[in-house]
Amino acid sequence: MFDNIEEVEVISLTDLDTGCLHDYQLTTQDMKNISMADILVINGGGMEAFMDDVTKNYPNLTIIDASNNIELNQDNSHIWLNPALYAKQIENVRDSIINYLDTKLSKNLDAAKIKQNVEFNAAAYIGKVMEVDLKLSDLEENIKRSYGDNLPKAVIFHEAFEYMATRIGLPVAYTIPLDHDTALSAEEIAKIINDVKNDGIRYLFTEEQYSDSVAKRIEAETTAKAYIIDSAVTGDGSKSSYMDAMEYNIEVLKAALFE
């Protein structure tokens, strides 16, 4: 699927099970890795709250913001759950790396060869991502055919899923702010249950990185059903991990909407 580029070493600053980066703090090992790096690639959009420390300590480090010139959903930076936007992120990274190779690469390395490999890999990966996007297009059309103007509403438990919901035309009634630092009171949960009943909400989409206890409680007291989606922030590190996560999500959505 991709060419290995021997001249490039990629190190992830986060563990594969870190989850959302909003509250991630750099470790001593992270700072050591950054000190030896030529390029730091970030998602951007405010996702990495630690960037002030990085730019202060390493002013000469080349930083690639993958979300550059991409419109965010209400300051929600989980862009990759819309494959078309994720493809733009890949293009941003590709173009910035090529610019780096053109302007700053050591003369001892074959810049033309590295650029060729980067362009090949980017094209191959974008192709795979857009295959996922095509499947979402099919899902969007099936939703329109099945529901017409009476589109079903959903409640989501983290803003990440909003990108995928928007992509397939699934209305989000509201988002319940549920993360590691958020605890809902019994009164808040009771209000949500009442709103779900009154608004005829049929679907509750929570994410695997968070507890589904609130979603399950709402499900138990309403006619809505809870489903767990993969926000593609964890995985096994394989080259297909993003596609695998999105394929899983598509199957979850099919089961929710058509079965």
Side-chain angles (χ1 to χ4, degrees):
M1 181 177 176
F2 308 113
D3 283 345
N4 289 325
I5 306 177
E6 297 178 356
E7 299 88 348
V8 178
E9 180 182 8
V10 179
I11 299 174
S12 175
L13 293 181
T14 63
D15 296 327
L16 294 175
D17 59 354
T18 294
C20 189
L21 290 178
H22 282 304
D23 302 314
Y24 184 78
Q25 298 295 319
L26 292 176
T27 65
T28 301
Q29 183 59 48
D30 290 336
M31 296 301 281
K32 181 179 179 181
N33 287 333
I34 291 173
S35 71
M36 298 184 293
D38 298 299
I39 297 172
L40 174 62
V41 179
I42 64 173
N43 178 77
M47 178 71 75
E48 297 87 354
F50 51 76
M51 285 305 298
D52 285 346
D53 290 336
V54 173
T55 54
K56 177 181 177 181
N57 287 285
Y58 307 103
N60 296 321
L61 178 67
T62 295
I63 298 172
I64 297 176
D65 185 340
S67 67
N68 188 40
N69 294 324
I70 297 177
E71 184 176 353
L72 305 181
N73 285 353
Q74 300 178 350
D75 298 324
N76 168 2
S77 50
H78 299 77
I79 301 164
W80 57 89
L81 283 178
N82 181 330
L85 297 183
Y86 184 44
K88 291 182 179 179
Q89 287 192 292
I90 300 167
E91 291 171 352
N92 281 341
V93 174
R94 176 201 63 198
D95 294 344
S96 296
I97 290 177
I98 289 174
N99 181 66
Y100 177 88
L101 295 172
D102 285 336
T103 59
K104 297 185 178 181
L105 187 66
S106 168
K107 301 297 184 182
N108 296 326
L109 296 175
D110 187 347
K113 176 187 174 184
I114 300 174
K115 284 168 59 177
Q116 183 178 24
N117 288 336
V118 168
E119 290 172 340
F120 175 84
N121 285 348
Y125 192 41
I126 289 171
K128 292 295 183 181
V129 170
M130 294 312 292
E131 288 178 10
V132 175
D133 191 66
L134 183 59
K135 292 181 180 180
L136 288 180
S137 291
D138 291 340
L139 183 59
E140 180 183 23
E141 289 302 315
N142 286 338
I143 292 172
K144 290 178 180 177
R145 282 196 297 268
S146 298
Y147 293 96
D149 294 331
N150 189 30
L151 292 173
K153 297 178 181 179
V155 167
I156 61 176
F157 289 77
H158 188 242
E159 68 272 18
F161 183 65
E162 183 180 347
Y163 279 97
M164 182 176 287
T166 299
R167 174 64 187 83
I168 63 175
L170 182 66
V172 174
Y174 42 85
T175 302
I176 299 173
L178 191 64
D179 55 41
H180 296 304
D181 296 325
T182 302
L184 297 176
S185 67
E187 182 179 357
E188 288 173 321
I189 294 174
K191 182 181 184 306
I192 293 169
I193 290 172
N194 187 61
D195 289 343
V196 167
K197 289 179 178 178
N198 290 337
D199 292 343
I201 304 298
R202 297 171 58 181
Y203 308 107
L204 311 170
F205 291 103
T206 187
E207 298 179 30
E208 61 176 12
Q209 60 180 319
Y210 301 121
S211 170
D212 64 350
S213 59
V214 175
K216 288 297 185 182
R217 180 173 171 183
I218 297 171
E219 180 184 56
E221 299 191 36
T222 68
T223 58
K225 186 170 177 57
Y227 298 88
I228 298 176
I229 63 107
D230 188 339
S231 53
V233 295
T234 59
D236 59 7
S238 68
K239 296 174 182 177
S240 65
S241 59
Y242 172 80
M243 279 71 73
D244 293 341
M246 295 298 285
E247 293 281 0
Y248 166 82
N249 290 336
I250 290 171
E251 293 306 312
V252 169
L253 287 165
K254 287 180 179 178
L257 297 167
F258 304 119
E259 294 182 6

